[in-house]
Coordinates of all heavy atoms in Angstrom, one line a residue:
G663 N -20.9 151.6 150.4 CA -21.4 150.7 149.4 C -20.4 149.6 148.9 O -20.7 148.7 148.2
R670 N -11.6 135.2 156.2 CA -10.9 134.0 155.9 C -11.2 133.0 156.9 O -10.8 133.1 158.1 CB -9.4 134.2 155.7 CG -8.8 132.9 155.2 CD -7.6 133.3 154.3 NE -6.9 132.1 153.8 CZ -7.2 131.6 152.6 NH1 -8.2 132.0 151.9 NH2 -6.5 130.6 152.2
P674 N -7.3 124.0 157.3 CA -6.0 123.3 157.3 C -4.8 124.3 157.0 O -5.0 125.3 156.4 CB -6.2 122.4 156.1 CG -7.7 122.2 155.9 CD -8.2 123.5 156.3
S675 N -3.7 123.9 157.5 CA -2.5 124.8 157.3 C -2.0 124.7 155.9 O -2.4 123.9 155.1 CB -1.4 124.3 158.3 OG -1.0 123.0 157.9
L690 N -3.0 112.1 139.3 CA -3.2 112.4 137.9 C -2.0 112.4 137.0 O -2.2 112.6 135.8 CB -3.8 113.9 137.9 CG -5.3 114.0 138.3 CD1 -5.7 115.5 138.4 CD2 -6.2 113.3 137.4
L698 N -7.8 112.1 125.7 CA -6.8 113.0 125.5 C -5.4 112.5 125.7 O -4.4 112.9 125.2 CB -7.0 114.3 126.4 CG -8.2 115.2 126.0 CD1 -8.3 116.3 127.0 CD2 -8.0 115.7 124.6
R703 N -1.1 114.3 124.0 CA -0.7 115.0 125.2 C 0.7 114.6 125.7 O 1.1 113.4 125.6 CB -1.7 114.5 126.3 CG -1.4 115.1 127.7 CD -2.0 114.3 128.8 NE -1.3 113.0 129.0 CZ -1.8 112.0 129.8 NH1 -2.9 112.2 130.4 NH2 -1.1 110.9 130.0
G726 N -0.3 124.6 123.9 CA 0.9 123.9 123.5 C 2.1 124.2 124.5 O 2.8 123.2 124.8
K745 N 0.6 139.6 133.8 CA 0.5 141.1 133.9 C -0.8 141.6 134.6 O -0.8 142.5 135.3 CB 0.6 141.7 132.4 CG 2.0 141.5 131.8 CD 2.0 142.1 130.4 CE 3.3 141.9 129.7 NZ 3.3 142.5 128.3
N770 N -5.5 122.6 120.1 CA -6.1 123.6 121.0 C -7.6 123.8 120.8 O -8.2 124.9 121.0 CB -5.4 125.0 120.9 CG -4.0 125.0 121.4 OD1 -3.7 124.1 122.2 ND2 -3.2 126.0 121.1
R771 N -8.3 122.7 120.3 CA -9.7 122.8 120.1 C -10.4 122.9 121.5 O -9.8 122.8 122.5 CB -10.2 121.5 119.4 CG -10.0 120.2 120.3 CD -10.9 119.1 119.8 NE -10.6 117.8 120.4 CZ -10.9 117.5 121.6 NH1 -11.5 118.3 122.4 NH2 -10.6 116.3 122.1
E790 N -11.6 122.7 146.8 CA -12.0 122.3 148.1 C -10.7 122.3 149.0 O -10.8 122.6 150.2 CB -12.6 120.9 148.1 CG -14.0 120.8 147.5 CD -14.6 119.4 147.4 OE1 -13.8 118.5 147.5 OE2 -15.8 119.3 147.2
G821 N -18.4 140.0 134.6 CA -18.5 141.2 135.5 C -19.7 141.0 136.5 O -19.9 142.0 137.3
E825 N -22.1 132.6 142.9 CA -21.4 131.8 144.0 C -21.2 130.4 143.6 O -22.1 129.8 142.9 CB -22.2 131.9 145.3 CG -22.0 133.3 146.0 CD -22.4 133.2 147.5 OE1 -22.9 132.1 147.9 OE2 -22.2 134.2 148.2
Y826 N -20.1 129.8 144.0 CA -19.9 128.4 143.9 C -19.5 127.8 145.2 O -18.5 128.2 145.8 CB -18.7 128.1 142.9 CG -18.4 126.7 142.8 CD1 -19.1 125.7 142.1 CD2 -17.2 126.2 143.5 CE1 -18.8 124.4 142.1 CE2 -16.9 124.9 143.5 CZ -17.7 124.0 142.8 OH -17.4 122.6 142.8
N845 N -9.8 145.8 122.9 CA -10.7 146.7 123.5 C -11.4 146.1 124.7 O -12.0 146.9 125.6 CB -11.8 147.2 122.5 CG -11.3 148.1 121.4 OD1 -10.2 148.7 121.6 ND2 -11.9 148.1 120.2

Side-chain angles (χ1 to χ4, degrees):
R670 186 143 178 93
S675 66
L690 285 174
L698 290 177
R703 176 200 76 188
K745 292 179 180 179
N770 291 343
R771 64 161 170 75
E790 289 176 345
E825 284 197 355
Y826 173 78
N845 291 337

